[in-house]
Amino acid sequence: MNFNNLLQQAQQMQRKVNKAKKAFDEKTFEIQSQENIITGIMKGNLEIIDLHIDKTKFNNENQDDIEALLIITLNQMITKINKDKEDTLNKITNGVDVSAFL
């Protein structure tokens, strides 16, 4: 295999990774906390596009609990989305680390 072929393969993989990353960034994920107190939608690029807190479960006495639940729920979603993104890219690259290209 000569250098030009290797370079072409790398460029082709880069295009596939970029296309997959762009598609993944637009993919939506549902946010759901325990008992659906917090629901919403987050995109693959971690942008929150919709968020609801069930007002029937919220009052001034439990504000700290709701805020803690919100933090936990969002962090769980970020972890899930990052794992899904890694799995998606690994399928394209056959496990080759392309983080230098991202």
Side-chain angles (χ1 to χ4, degrees):
M1 178 177 297
N2 67 33
F3 182 74
N4 285 335
N5 287 343
L6 187 59
L7 183 60
Q8 286 177 347
Q9 287 179 354
Q11 289 171 339
Q12 183 179 17
M13 184 181 291
Q14 179 64 41
R15 285 190 296 274
K16 286 181 182 180
V17 167
N18 287 342
K19 183 178 178 181
K21 185 179 180 309
K22 184 176 180 180
F24 189 88
D25 284 349
E26 292 301 316
K27 184 177 176 180
T28 59
F29 297 83
E30 289 187 24
I31 299 169
Q32 290 183 309
S33 70
Q34 295 173 338
E35 301 176 24
N36 290 330
I37 296 170
I38 299 167
T39 58
I41 300 173
M42 183 181 282
K43 291 169 70 175
N45 65 0
L46 306 181
E47 175 186 359
I48 298 169
I49 56 176
D50 192 26
L51 189 66
H52 297 281
I53 298 175
D54 183 349
K55 292 178 184 173
T56 64
K57 309 280 185 184
F58 182 74
N59 61 48
N60 289 338
E61 295 172 8
N62 69 353
Q63 180 176 350
D64 290 342
D65 293 337
I66 297 292
E67 289 170 349
L69 182 60
L70 180 59
I71 291 168
I72 290 167
T73 302
L74 292 177
N75 283 333
Q76 287 175 339
M77 281 305 304
I78 290 168
T79 299
K80 179 186 182 302
I81 290 170
N82 284 334
K83 171 82 171 85
D84 196 0
K85 185 178 202 175
E86 182 180 321
D87 291 347
T88 299
L89 292 177
N90 280 337
K91 287 178 187 174
I92 294 169
T93 65
N94 293 321
V96 174
D97 181 14
V98 294
S99 59
F101 298 113
L102 302 177

